[in-house]
Amino acid sequence: ELAPEERVQQAYDLAIAALLSDNIYNFGDLLSHPIIDALKGTEHEWMHTLLFAFNSGDIGKFESMIGNLDAQPLLKQQEKFLQSKIRLMTLIESMFKRQGAGTRRIAFGAIAAETKMPVTEIEHLVMKALSLGLIKGSIDQVDQQVTVQWVQPRYLGKDQIRSLVDRLTQWESKVKETANKMSQATPELFV
């Protein structure tokens, strides 16, 4: 029941609070709330885009929008924090996209390429993600690899849902293929 200007201001304030929070790494509730759509078609529409970039861990989109931070002094002052946060979100998205049942193993070099960080800083990034409970797994510093068993559930955008559907479809076909092989190899068990 807010006036349109109040809706925009409320959405803008909520977006800033979520971005600057040091314990919010799941934007699902905010992104699914209709008030965020109040930013569309306004001078603050970039904030809407920025929230979705954070949610999907799109570091390229974030970097292309860095200039917009000048419009909001609080965000500009916390630019280093926001860069750290987007890298954590990129790590989470990277782990989510990895194929494999249950466990994802990834080299520091691959994480460095995706997060646009030096390899020497990857261990610290992963330790931060582990300590925040964003992922569960272990670090093999000698082989410079990370093993992740769990990624924090979060809001999925349309592209992420499509990716998940594709992975489920592939999994379904592999299960059917395995069932066919098993039934052909041991037909007496499947009578």
Side-chain angles (χ1 to χ4, degrees):
E1 302 301 323
L2 297 174
E5 308 83 40
E6 291 173 325
R7 287 179 59 80
V8 170
Q9 188 60 51
Q10 187 78 27
Y12 186 74
D13 291 344
L14 286 169
I16 291 172
L19 289 169
L20 295 179
S21 172
D22 58 358
N23 60 3
I24 294 178
Y25 291 88
N26 187 342
F27 297 92
D29 290 336
L30 182 58
L31 293 174
S32 63
H33 197 284
I35 197 156
I36 289 302
D37 290 336
L39 295 171
K40 290 181 180 178
T42 71
E43 64 181 300
H44 304 301
E45 186 167 1
W46 64 272
M47 187 68 77
H48 184 272
T49 306
L50 188 61
L51 283 172
F52 276 90
F54 267 82
N55 186 64
S56 63
D58 190 341
I59 199 162
K61 177 69 81 177
F62 170 76
E63 289 177 344
S64 73
M65 298 182 73
I66 284 272
N68 290 317
L69 299 182
D70 293 335
Q72 176 38 254
L74 285 173
L75 295 180
K76 186 64 178 171
Q77 289 172 353
Q78 296 295 319
E79 187 174 333
K80 284 197 179 289
F81 170 75
L82 292 172
Q83 288 175 346
S84 173
K85 191 169 187 173
I86 190 69
R87 284 182 168 82
L88 284 166
M89 298 305 294
T90 302
L91 175 67
I92 293 168
E93 182 65 17
S94 171
M95 295 301 162
F96 175 77
K97 287 180 180 177
R98 298 273 176 231
Q99 297 291 334
T103 301
R104 298 157 188 97
R105 190 165 175 88
I106 182 170
F108 281 16
I111 296 171
E114 291 179 23
T115 59
K116 299 182 180 182
M117 293 179 71
V119 173
T120 56
E121 295 179 23
I122 297 305
E123 185 177 14
H124 183 261
L125 177 74
V126 173
M127 286 191 308
K128 181 153 180 124
L130 289 166
S131 70
L132 289 169
L134 302 176
I135 60 174
K136 290 182 182 175
S138 60
I139 301 171
D140 181 341
Q141 215 290 323
V142 175
D143 289 336
Q144 292 199 328
Q145 292 194 344
V146 177
T147 302
V148 175
Q149 290 89 20
W150 178 86
V151 178
Q152 179 188 49
R154 57 197 176 80
Y155 177 85
L156 300 178
K158 290 178 184 176
D159 291 338
Q160 293 165 314
I161 291 172
R162 272 190 223 105
S163 170
L164 191 57
V165 167
D166 291 344
R167 287 170 49 192
L168 287 172
T169 303
Q170 290 172 2
W171 178 76
E172 178 186 28
S173 67
K174 286 180 183 180
V175 168
K176 285 180 181 178
E177 182 182 318
T178 302
N180 280 337
K181 286 180 183 178
M182 292 298 294
S183 68
Q184 290 171 3
T186 55
E188 64 277 359
L189 294 176
F190 291 91
V191 176

